[in-house]
Amino acid sequence: MATDITARIIKQEQVGLGQYRMNLYAPEIASRAVPGQFVYIRCSSSLDPLLRRPLSIHGVNRERGELLLLYQVIGRGTSLLAAKRQGDQLPVMGPLGRGFTLPEPERRVILVGGGIGVAPLVFLGNELVRRKNPVLMLVGARSIHHLPLGREGGNNVPFNVTVATDDGTCGYHGPVTDLLERALAGREVDMVYACGPGGMLRQTAMLLARYGLPGEFSLEERMGCGVGACLSCVCKTTGEGERPFRYRRVCVEGPVFRADQLVWDQEECING
Amino acid sequence: MAKPSLAVDVAGIRMKNPVTTASGTFGFGSEYAPFVDLNRLGAIVVKGTTLNPRPGNPPPRIVETPAGILNSIGLQNPGVEHFIEAALPYLRQFDLPVIVNIAGDTVEEYAALAARLNGVPGVAALEVNISCPNVKKGGLAFGADPGSAAAVVQEVKSATRLPVVVKLSPNVTSIVQVAEAVVKAGADALSMINTLLGMVIDIRRRRPVLANVMGGLSGPAIRPVAVRAVWQVYRALKVPIVGMGGIVTAGDALEFIMAGATAVAVGTANFINPRATLDIIEGIERFLEEEGIKDIRELIGAAHR
Ligand SMILES: Cc1cc2nc3c(=O)[nH]c(=O)nc-3n(C[C@H](O)[C@H](O)[C@H](O)COP(=O)(O)OP(=O)(O)OC[C@H]3O[C@@H](n4cnc5c(N)ncnc54)[C@H](O)[C@@H]3O)c2cc1C
Ligand SMILES: Cc1cc2nc3c(=O)[nH]c(=O)nc-3n(C[C@H](O)[C@H](O)[C@H](O)COP(=O)(O)O)c2cc1C
Ligand code: FES
């Protein structure tokens, strides 16, 4: 069950261009969180900006009661967050949403992260390694300066990381989905988890359908309540019976959805 | 000193305190149960319900504005039958008047909803939404015109024995005129205000942010407009008012009560602070103690005297 607590910032550090990692003391949330869930944070005590901001749980340290976040500065909310210092306190609701379903042991997993989309996938990857699943992470970013896990990427995580950049300044020169396609064609994988921009997810969904593999995506949509009450955060999913589609709430029915549940005609999707 | 009395009565809806939830911001209650003991609320107003399920508008449905939000949910809801079967049994376990917010495209649809909910155990009252800016037909169309607003209310009244609260729109020339018309048609109480019609443009994409183009503005940004509406209607009519619009603190709630509201509803504030309703109830109680007031009812309309 989710709680709303005041969490103290243990540590905050810049890890890339406009990218920050934050450790929060939040034992009530850290003890219950599973990969794919998120927290809803109030970045300011003023009424402007008004809403909280959703951020994925990037990791937990249960012994120390700590919650790890990884975020990109986008606008006012995340700028305010980046200006916070060690010892500052923030209202944090969580853990919220439905996380990833974990595969059978031995199943080979690929994690596909677009930019800051790696945030929830690192938490998932750590869990999968503990469960003895072979894990490879593919990270796509605009340039070498936009790699949220740093230039070496894999040094801080217990699984292999392969990088693709749009401008070729690091790793493969091109979209990260090219790397995924190679892995799929080589039958090197049983299950794919992805988080990132809409275009990347759409392409990933197409590849999964073509190769007949299961996948789960963590989605982003603008939120109001964060707890399923306001119906602000919906995404378009497959329907049943006479209904051709159904809008489902990202905050409680997601943020993780099965790839084959999603309907991709969402022109206005903020991710793409 | 004895604790001050917070209890109020809105057209037969007996509330242990004057604080309820604003429709559409508190779901069907269960969503907020991890944060709020629902037994402590004065009442709950559930998400707008229609005769048949509605898919709602395409996303994005929400955008943040200065001290506010614009929403265009489009009344997504599972329909009245699902509400009665799936949501209402949960709410019945609490000591909590349940006010069902209803909306329709036609007068007949409003009447059918009222008839369906009449006598259903656990329903304390109806709130008739004639002011939703987010659906094409109905909604605001009824609320903007005193004649059609009255027609809806008349039909609803004759289809139910439940107290009927009519929710008014601020998107009108004279809210007092609409209020007079619906009270004459039999409204037992009024609630106000629904959201103000607005829009936001993304200048990079040169397009409205909301997929539905326009949406309803709520939150602290609209509070003075809402307080003014309550003030004007209280002055003109003798009818209980449920005031809402941008209430975040107990002080905000007390403004509405002093303007003439018997009860208040908390909406957008729940999104910022899931405990907002309880904080407001506690704050009102503290205020009464500090001011040495024994009964909240002494403050209703106090700013007029
Ligand atoms: C479930 C979920 C998990 C997320 N996890 C992460 C994460 O781990 N790291 C990270 O960097 N970002 C994450 N995001 C995106 C993050 O919430 C937005 O970047 C952030 O809200 C932007 O706020 P802002 O005030 O800086 O930007 P502004 O553009 O000024 O924000 C204006 C409004 O739009 C909303 N908004 C803007 N972009 C997004 C977006 N992409 N998704 C949802 N709402 C948005 C804001 O919340 C705010 O209400 C996540 C989003 C969701 C829904
Ligand atoms: C997301 C959202 C959904 C809403 N849905 C409804 C609804 O279904 N029926 C209704 O009568 N009002 C609805 N409203 C209006 C609120 O009940 C309330 O009148 C308005 O938001 C002003 O109060 P606030 O500023 O405290 O939020 C909705 C408001 C919001 C923000
Ligand atoms: S944000 Fe309110 S339902 Fe998802």
Side-chain angles (χ1 to χ4, degrees):
Chain A
M1 196 154 83
T3 54
D4 180 32
I5 59 164
T6 303
R8 198 176 69 251
I9 298 173
I10 305 286
K11 192 163 89 179
Q12 157 130 290
E13 55 192 333
Q14 187 162 5
V15 293
L17 210 60
Q19 294 168 340
Y20 293 80
R21 191 165 52 207
M22 183 185 272
N23 294 44
L24 288 167
Y25 182 68
E28 302 89 337
I29 297 174
S31 64
R32 279 175 260 190
V34 298
Q37 288 189 300
F38 69 97
V39 289
Y40 206 27
I41 299 193
R42 200 162 167 201
C43 305
S44 144
S45 56
S46 114
L47 295 176
D48 190 37
L50 186 66
L51 292 172
R52 291 176 179 237
R53 299 295 189 259
L55 292 177
S56 298
I57 297 171
H58 177 51
V60 294
N61 183 328
R62 296 209 166 87
E63 280 104 75
R64 292 210 294 242
E66 284 180 32
L67 201 63
L68 217 64
L69 306 176
L70 177 70
Y71 66 93
Q72 173 90 48
V73 171
I74 300 290
R76 286 174 71 200
T78 46
S79 302
L80 285 163
L81 211 54
K84 300 279 178 199
R85 295 287 165 262
Q86 186 180 335
D88 287 352
Q89 312 230 10
L90 293 168
V92 181
M93 275 163 80
L96 300 174
R98 271 179 19 180
F100 297 101
T101 48
L102 301 178
E104 307 277 290
E106 320 276 289
R107 294 273 149 157
R108 297 160 306 166
V109 170
I110 289 189
L111 311 172
V112 187
I116 207 72
V118 299
L121 299 177
V122 171
F123 187 14
L124 175 64
N126 284 325
E127 189 68 28
L128 292 176
V129 167
R130 259 192 349 104
R131 291 165 48 105
K132 310 252 181 306
N133 289 102
V135 176
L136 168 65
M137 179 182 269
L138 307 175
V139 179
R142 262 192 289 166
S143 80
I144 192 166
H145 307 293
H146 296 85
L147 286 169
L149 301 178
R151 197 159 168 171
E152 282 82 37
N155 284 359
N156 297 318
V157 290
F159 42 80
N160 287 326
V161 178
T162 306
V163 169
T165 50
D166 296 345
D167 66 355
T169 46
C170 187
Y172 174 77
H173 186 175
V176 68
T177 43
D178 285 2
L179 300 179
L180 175 66
E181 181 155 23
R182 276 188 217 165
L184 294 174
R187 310 240 164 261
E188 297 159 24
V189 52
D190 304 303
M191 174 79 185
V192 173
Y193 297 92
C195 181
M200 183 203 93
L201 293 181
R202 181 193 291 235
Q203 181 65 22
T204 302
M206 259 175 49
L207 291 172
L208 290 176
R210 189 184 312 153
Y211 288 91
L213 276 185
E216 287 189 347
F217 297 169
S218 178
L219 299 193
E220 295 178 6
E221 195 41 82
R222 288 166 198 270
M223 289 186 178
C225 65
V227 298
C230 75
L231 300 160
S232 295
C233 62
V234 298
C235 66
K236 202 169 189 174
T237 64
T238 51
E240 64 263 329
E242 314 106 75
R243 286 197 276 177
F245 67 87
R246 225 182 104 183
Y247 288 124
R248 284 192 165 81
R249 296 160 297 177
V250 169
C251 68
V252 287
E253 292 163 275
V256 176
F257 291 92
R258 276 200 344 256
D260 63 4
Q261 254 187 311
L262 299 169
V263 177
W264 291 101
D265 64 5
Q266 238 170 282
E267 207 205 320
E268 297 284 344
C269 165
I270 47 170
N271 301 317
Chain B
M1 200 181 96
K3 288 253 175 213
S5 166
L6 291 186
V8 296
D9 185 311
V10 176
I13 311 163
R14 290 165 60 180
M15 300 171 56
K16 55 175 94 69
N17 62 62
V19 178
T20 180
T21 59
S23 176
T25 65
F26 209 74
F28 298 111
S30 57
E31 296 88 344
Y32 276 96
F35 310 98
V36 174
D37 175 2
L38 300 179
N39 286 311
R40 293 186 56 198
L41 299 177
I44 185 174
V45 183
V46 296
K47 171 68 190 166
T49 304
T50 52
L51 205 49
N52 298 309
R54 297 234 187 153
N57 290 329
R61 291 178 173 183
I62 184 170
V63 53
E64 195 177 51
T65 61
I69 55 172
L70 272 184
N71 86 80
S72 65
I73 310 300
L75 284 179
Q76 176 174 345
N77 83 94
V80 68
E81 292 306 327
H82 187 273
F83 166 74
I84 292 170
E85 279 157 38
L88 197 55
Y90 172 83
L91 287 171
R92 266 189 221 121
Q93 64 181 305
F94 300 99
D95 170 25
L96 177 70
V98 176
I99 302 170
V100 183
N101 181 285
I102 60 170
D105 286 339
T106 59
V107 174
E108 293 74 35
E109 217 176 310
Y110 279 101
L113 272 163
R116 180 66 188 88
L117 288 160
N118 185 42
V120 172
V123 178
L126 300 181
E127 180 179 56
V128 185
N129 178 7
I130 50 165
S131 47
C132 184
N134 289 324
V135 288
K136 286 204 180 66
K137 276 188 290 176
L140 186 51
F142 289 109
D145 169 59
S148 45
V152 170
V153 174
Q154 213 151 35
E155 289 302 314
V156 167
K157 270 302 282 183
S158 57
T160 184
R161 290 216 295 273
L162 291 167
V164 171
V165 185
V166 178
K167 185 155 176 184
L168 302 184
S169 170
N171 304 310
V172 293
T173 313
S174 164
I175 195 163
V176 171
Q177 248 176 40
V178 183
E180 278 168 346
V182 298
V183 167
K184 215 157 146 202
D188 301 296
L190 302 175
S191 60
M192 65 195 72
I193 56 175
N194 208 319
T195 53
L196 285 142
L197 199 56
M199 73 181 285
V200 172
I201 290 170
D202 179 337
I203 58 168
R204 296 276 171 204
R205 304 171 65 201
R206 305 184 187 182
R207 298 186 53 185
V209 174
L210 294 176
N212 195 46
V213 180
M214 285 175 255
L217 183 63
S218 66
I222 71 168
R223 202 179 72 231
V225 177
V227 172
R228 179 269 297 168
V230 171
W231 171 280
Q232 287 181 318
V233 172
Y234 180 83
R235 177 139 288 203
L237 291 167
K238 286 228 159 350
V239 64
I241 298 170
V242 181
M244 76 194 86
I247 295 174
V248 174
T249 65
D252 302 342
L254 286 158
E255 263 196 65
F256 280 84
I257 291 169
M258 292 180 191
T262 300
V264 294
V266 179
T268 304
N270 295 303
F271 303 171
I272 313 156
N273 170 15
R275 265 185 53 90
T277 44
L278 301 186
D279 289 350
I280 289 167
I281 294 165
E282 288 160 17
I284 291 175
E285 186 163 28
R286 261 198 314 278
F287 180 85
L288 296 187
E289 281 168 359
E290 281 164 21
E291 300 278 316
I293 295 160
K294 292 193 191 66
D295 193 319
I296 184 72
R297 290 174 302 179
E298 292 171 35
L299 291 183
I300 298 169
H304 292 267
R305 296 191 277 271

